């Protein structure tokens, strides 16, 4: 009896283990559920508030209202397309295994159901992008608040469809107009044009095949070839002093206006820290959180935006630090209320993030700033400039005082000589 039970359990275990699958089973995996440790500090920053795209948030009762509107957009896209509905659906059906492999989570949808979800969502997004160019008399575009919320929902890591699906549907739908030099732009250019309206960042220089999805596209808009080839080193990115302390030690802060047009271009030399202009608004935290989450999951050894957030969090960790960068023209905040929330954004985004290497340039900058602060001569000179040379009147008074002191010493010396 015992032997029978053992064999029965062994067979059940064998059957169960055969079905087991490891996490991230393929190299195609690029769309992730944000780890609990990261998302717990701000659940809403990773959750769509108006429209779901892809299977991870499909069926969310909060997003049901937009489903009918997505279907209306889908109908208009089909009418606009030169390919038939059957051909468009067949395209997604052929891609279904590759689409499913792109998600880190197991998708509990049948093949047919997943095809329907992906098809409607992709048609909705493409039609949305096309309407932005030619059809502004629309329920979404007539309400700016709704348009902005939809666009930012499209940038969330969990709210993604692989980029290649959009491209293949778009190319199939408008094949003749794309190939014959018509007015239709390539889908990548269309997407960049759309997101550039809410995120004024750099110019994309990478080929389409490198882009996994819209969150990845946003990340690439922040990067340049200069940064993707910057060496990385193991170590700790530790800045021992905030901006206000560094300012008191004589460090000058300036807006970096380099030709790279990239917010990651930090420079420190001859006591001057140059940082590109930073516009902080209500969606800055959402944008940074999703890019950092993507880098944590997908770019564990090339997390350049995470390095940047880590550095800024240490540089502006108090109200006084933020004021220093605002006064220098580096930070511009459009957040209604107290600008002290700026430092909280950077500190919160960087929480529960694990890193094993860093941008070598940032490590060098931290080392240089820490060494500059420790040098006693720099602090004394900064105090002298702050106390005696901040205004023309103080400068004149100081020079007059020194001249008077020298004159007194000279008179005393002459008197001493005459007495002898």
């Amino acid at each position: 009896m015992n032997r029978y039970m053992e064999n029965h359990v062994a067979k059940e275990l064998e059957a169960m283990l055969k079905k087991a699958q490891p996490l991230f089973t393929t190299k195609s995996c690029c769309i992730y559920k944000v780890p609990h440790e990261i998302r717990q500090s701000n659940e809403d920053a990773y959750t769509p508030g108006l429209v779901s795209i892809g299977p991870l948030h499909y069926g969310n009762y909060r997003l049901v209202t937009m489903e009918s509107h997505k279907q209306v957009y889908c109908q208009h896209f089909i009418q606009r397309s030169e390919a038939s509905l059957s051909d468009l659906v067949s395209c997604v059906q052929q891609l279904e295994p590759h689409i499913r492999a792109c998600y880190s989570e197991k998708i509990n949808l049948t093949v047919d159901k997943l095809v329907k979800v992906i098809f409607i969502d992709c048609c909705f997004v493409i039609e949305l992008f096309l309407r932005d160019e030619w059809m502004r008399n629309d329920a979404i575009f007539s309400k700016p608040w709704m348009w902005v919320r939809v666009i930012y929902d499209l940038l969330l890591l969990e709210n993604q469809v692989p980029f290649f699906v959009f491209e293949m549907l778009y190319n199939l739908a408008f094949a003749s107009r794309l190939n014959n030099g018509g007015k239709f732009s390539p889908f990548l250019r269309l997407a960049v044009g759309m997101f550039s309206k809410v995120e004024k960042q750099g110019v994309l220089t990478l080929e389409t095949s490198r882009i996994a999805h819209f969150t990845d596209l946003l990340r690439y808009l922040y990067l340049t070839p200069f940064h993707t080839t910057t060496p990385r080193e193991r170590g700790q990115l530790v800045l021992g002093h905030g901006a206000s302390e560094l300012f008191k030690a004589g460090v000058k802060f300036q807006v970096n206006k380099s030709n790279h047009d990239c917010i990651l271009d930090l420079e420190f030399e001859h006591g001057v820290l140059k940082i590109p202009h930073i516009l902080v608004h209500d969606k800055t935290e959402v944008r940074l959180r999703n890019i950092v989450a993507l880098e944590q999951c997908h770019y564990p050894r090339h997390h350049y935006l995470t390095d940047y957030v880590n550095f800024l969090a240490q540089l502006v960790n108090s109200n006084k630090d933020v004021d220093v960068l605002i006064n220098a023209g580096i930070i511009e905040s459009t957040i209604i209320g107290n600008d002290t929330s700026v430092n909280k954004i950077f500190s919160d985004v960087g929480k529960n993030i694990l890193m094993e290497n860093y941008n070598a340039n940032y490590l060098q900058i931290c080392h240089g700033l820490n060494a500059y602060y420790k040098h006693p001569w720099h602090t004394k000179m900064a105090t002298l400039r702050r106390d005696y040379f901040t205004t023309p009147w103080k400068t004149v008074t100081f020079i007059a005082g020194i001249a008077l002191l020298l004159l007194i010493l000279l008179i005393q010396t002459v008197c001493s000589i005459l007495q002898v």
Side-chain angles (χ1 to χ4, degrees):
M1 182 68 178
N2 289 338
R3 179 177 295 180
Y4 169 78
M5 290 295 295
E6 289 177 3
N7 290 340
H8 178 67
V9 172
K11 289 180 180 179
E12 289 182 349
L13 279 171
E14 183 179 11
M16 180 180 68
L17 294 175
K18 284 182 178 179
K19 297 178 181 179
Q21 293 182 347
L23 292 173
F24 317 144
T25 54
T26 69
K27 292 182 179 180
S28 301
C29 180
C30 60
I31 302 173
Y32 304 85
K33 195 80 173 175
V34 177
H36 172 72
E37 293 78 9
I38 298 176
R39 70 178 297 129
Q40 64 180 345
S41 60
N42 189 347
E43 189 87 14
D44 290 341
Y46 309 101
T47 306
L50 197 61
V51 59
S52 70
I53 300 296
L56 295 185
H57 287 276
Y58 175 75
N60 186 328
Y61 72 94
R62 293 170 52 191
L63 310 175
V64 171
T65 303
M66 279 295 293
E67 289 302 313
S68 178
H69 201 67
K70 286 197 296 184
Q71 293 172 14
V72 171
Y73 267 51
C74 184
Q75 288 179 332
H76 285 287
F77 171 76
I78 295 168
Q79 293 169 3
R80 187 196 293 269
S81 168
E82 62 189 47
S84 67
L85 172 60
S86 178
D87 289 341
L88 293 170
V89 172
S90 295
C91 174
V92 179
Q93 287 175 323
Q94 293 172 12
L95 295 173
E96 189 274 339
H98 304 290
I99 295 171
R100 194 179 289 268
C102 290
Y103 293 90
S104 65
E105 300 287 307
K106 182 179 179 181
I107 306 302
N108 294 317
L109 297 175
T110 64
V111 172
D112 289 348
K113 185 63 176 178
L114 181 59
V115 168
K116 291 177 183 178
V117 169
I118 296 297
F119 180 77
I120 290 175
D121 289 351
C122 287
C123 292
F124 163 72
V125 171
I126 296 173
E127 179 68 18
L128 177 75
F129 288 5
L130 292 172
R131 288 193 176 206
D132 180 56
E133 289 194 345
W134 301 318
M135 300 174 63
R136 293 190 174 275
N137 185 20
D138 176 83
I140 292 179
F141 293 107
S142 63
K143 299 179 178 63
W145 66 269
M146 181 178 288
W147 178 81
V148 171
R149 288 181 63 184
V150 168
I151 294 303
Y152 276 104
D153 277 352
L154 296 184
L155 294 173
L156 303 181
L157 177 58
E158 297 180 355
N159 213 34
Q160 298 300 317
V161 167
F163 194 83
F164 65 80
V165 187
F166 289 109
E167 276 206 313
M168 294 192 72
L169 274 176
Y170 183 83
N171 293 342
L172 177 62
F174 310 115
S176 65
R177 283 172 276 187
L178 287 167
N179 296 332
N180 298 328
K183 62 181 180 179
F184 272 61
S185 302
F187 182 73
L188 175 60
R189 190 181 302 169
L190 200 65
V192 171
M194 171 65 82
F195 295 129
S196 294
K197 289 177 171 55
V198 293
E199 294 297 336
K200 307 292 184 182
Q201 296 303 333
V203 178
L204 189 68
T205 58
L206 297 176
E207 63 273 17
T208 308
S209 60
R210 295 281 300 277
I211 299 168
H213 43 70
F214 291 151
T215 312
D216 198 37
L217 172 60
L218 180 62
R219 176 180 179 268
Y220 276 126
L221 287 174
Y222 279 100
L223 299 178
T224 65
F226 170 80
H227 286 95
T228 55
T229 57
T230 300
R232 306 189 63 80
E233 296 178 3
R234 290 183 176 273
Q236 293 297 320
L237 190 68
V238 178
L239 182 60
H241 310 279
S244 58
E245 290 183 314
L246 292 170
F247 180 73
K248 290 179 180 178
V251 174
K252 296 180 180 179
F253 294 87
Q254 295 180 3
V255 177
N256 191 357
K257 299 179 180 179
S258 69
N259 295 326
H260 295 302
D261 191 25
C262 177
I263 66 168
L264 307 184
D265 282 328
L266 308 181
E267 299 177 11
F268 178 65
E269 58 181 357
H270 307 305
V272 180
L273 179 59
K274 295 182 179 181
I275 304 174
H277 178 260
I278 308 166
L279 176 61
V280 180
H281 51 75
D282 290 335
K283 292 296 184 180
T284 296
E285 181 177 355
V286 172
R287 174 194 68 196
L288 291 178
R289 276 184 176 275
N290 281 272
I291 298 176
V292 167
L294 171 64
E295 289 192 333
Q296 183 79 162
C297 297
H298 199 62
Y299 300 102
R301 294 179 180 84
H302 297 90
H303 38 71
Y304 292 99
L305 266 296
T306 306
D307 293 343
Y308 171 80
V309 169
N310 194 337
F311 179 86
L312 263 294
Q314 297 182 65
L315 185 66
V316 291
N317 54 30
S318 73
N319 307 349
K320 293 181 179 179
D321 296 332
V322 175
D323 290 339
V324 169
L325 296 195
I326 288 177
N327 293 334
I330 294 171
I331 288 180
E332 178 185 353
S333 175
T334 62
I335 298 177
I336 299 175
N338 197 331
D339 279 329
T340 57
S341 57
V342 172
N343 66 65
K344 188 175 184 301
I345 287 176
F346 288 104
S347 63
D348 287 354
V349 171
K351 286 181 179 178
N352 299 318
I353 299 298
L354 300 177
M355 293 176 283
E356 63 178 32
N357 60 33
Y358 294 90
N359 184 328
N361 182 45
Y362 287 9
L363 290 173
Q364 186 177 357
I365 289 174
C366 284
H367 177 76
L369 287 169
N370 291 333
Y372 192 95
Y373 182 87
K374 291 178 181 178
H375 200 295
W377 176 252
H378 295 148
T379 302
K380 292 177 181 178
M381 289 300 297
T383 302
L384 185 65
R385 287 194 298 268
R386 185 171 59 252
D387 293 345
Y388 299 104
F389 296 99
T390 53
T391 65
W393 176 247
K394 283 187 176 182
T395 303
V396 171
T397 303
F398 178 77
I399 293 175
I402 293 295
L404 180 59
L405 178 60
L406 292 175
L407 181 59
I408 291 172
L409 291 175
L410 178 61
I411 293 173
Q412 289 177 344
T413 302
V414 170
C415 290
S416 298
I417 294 173
L418 291 177
Q419 289 177 356
V420 174

